[in-house]
Amino acid sequence: MSIKIQAITMLMMVACGLTMGLLYDTYRVMKGQTGLRGWLVIICDLLFWASCIFLVFGTLLRINDGIVRVYLFLGMGIGAWAYFALFHSFYVKWFLRFIQLVKAIYRFIINMIQTLIIKPVIFLYKVIITVIVTISLFVWKIILFIYGLFQKIFVPLGTKSSKLGKKIYSGSKKKGAGILKRLAKLIKLKRKDDIDKDKDE
């Protein structure tokens, strides 16, 4: 490799060290804000270091065909030290503020959705249910009132008509029996008259 390529590679490794420091602080703050625990921490740690490895070796492949030298690790160390010495506190402070701003915007959007959409829909739902229940109870009371009125008016008439029908039926039955008895007597008398006439002859 030429000196120019080695110098560019060294500068890029310093930049990679700075980037890795920035990514480390980003990951550390996000892990603290999200409260990762257990296996998720292990998986995220592995993903972080894998992304750092891909960053370094991807950069080397673009610059010097992936040739690794000892001084490249020195460059990454210098870059990481420069980040933590110069930018660490500033970046963490402003990144935390950015997260708080995002959380505030998120809470504002959620509150607006609840105030403008969810609460009116719930209120409208309660009003509709109340109206339906009230109308149903009112109609049910009307039905019960009509049913009670029907019982008061038509049931006594029914009992009276049934009693009257029974009286008419019993009276007609008695009259019919009397008529049948009279017919039977007339038939017997006629037979007697016929028999007496036959004897006289």
Side-chain angles (χ1 to χ4, degrees), residues 42-141:
I42 298 173
I43 293 171
C44 290
D45 287 342
L46 292 174
L47 290 175
F48 169 75
W49 290 112
S51 63
C52 290
I53 291 170
F54 280 119
L55 172 67
V56 173
F57 284 99
T59 304
L60 289 175
L61 286 173
R62 285 174 176 267
I63 297 172
N64 63 356
D65 296 329
I67 300 172
V68 179
R69 297 287 186 267
V70 177
Y71 66 88
L72 299 180
F73 294 99
L74 178 62
M76 285 190 291
I78 292 171
W81 174 83
Y83 168 79
F84 283 105
L86 301 174
F87 306 109
H88 165 71
S89 59
F90 175 80
Y91 175 74
V92 170
K93 180 176 69 174
W94 285 101
F95 188 59
L96 287 172
R97 289 184 180 181
F98 174 75
I99 291 174
Q100 296 301 321
L101 178 63
V102 171
K103 286 183 177 180
I105 294 172
Y106 172 77
R107 285 193 296 267
F108 175 76
I109 293 172
I110 294 299
N111 290 330
M112 291 296 292
I113 291 172
Q114 288 181 348
T115 304
L116 298 177
I117 298 175
I118 295 175
K119 288 183 179 179
V121 169
I122 293 173
F123 176 75
L124 183 63
Y125 171 76
K126 289 181 179 179
V127 169
I128 292 171
I129 293 298
T130 304
V131 171
I132 292 172
V133 170
T134 304
I135 293 173
S136 300
L137 291 175
F138 180 71
V139 172
W140 179 247
K141 286 182 180 180

